[in-house]
Amino acid sequence: MNALSIQRAIRLVPNDNKVSDNAPAFRVMLGWQHIGDAWERMSRTEPPREYWRVRIDDPFCPLSAMLFPDAEGMTAQLVLQV
């Protein structure tokens, strides 16, 4: 089994132009390029936990994931949705 691994630093930039409640909270940026969006969500676990639902629009391999920040907000765990 082969695996493709690409490492890139991305940024979540607040979406200051939200026109509706369903608009993404953040834009996913690679450099100056907008490559996806992220929405704020709350888990159904006890206690509830805040996370972001992330979509990266890659024409070859679009990704859907959940991003769980740590308690300090300095790092996060990315869980891919299949």
Side-chain angles (χ1 to χ4, degrees), residues 5-48:
S5 176
I6 299 173
Q7 294 183 0
R8 295 283 192 203
I10 61 171
R11 295 177 293 131
L12 295 178
V13 178
N15 180 10
D16 295 330
N17 297 321
K18 289 178 69 169
V19 293
S20 74
D21 290 338
N22 293 331
F26 296 92
R27 301 293 185 199
V28 180
M29 305 294 290
L30 176 62
W32 293 102
Q33 186 175 5
H34 173 220
I35 62 167
D37 297 299
W39 292 262
E40 293 176 311
R41 297 288 189 252
M42 192 65 70
S43 73
R44 296 180 186 152
T45 61
E46 256 328 302

Side-chain angles (χ1 to χ4, degrees), residues 50-67:
E50 185 178 4
Y51 71 97
W52 296 296
R53 185 174 58 98
V54 179
R55 186 187 73 225
I56 296 179
D57 301 318
D58 183 298
F60 298 107
C61 183
L63 297 175
S64 242
M66 296 176 291
L67 186 64

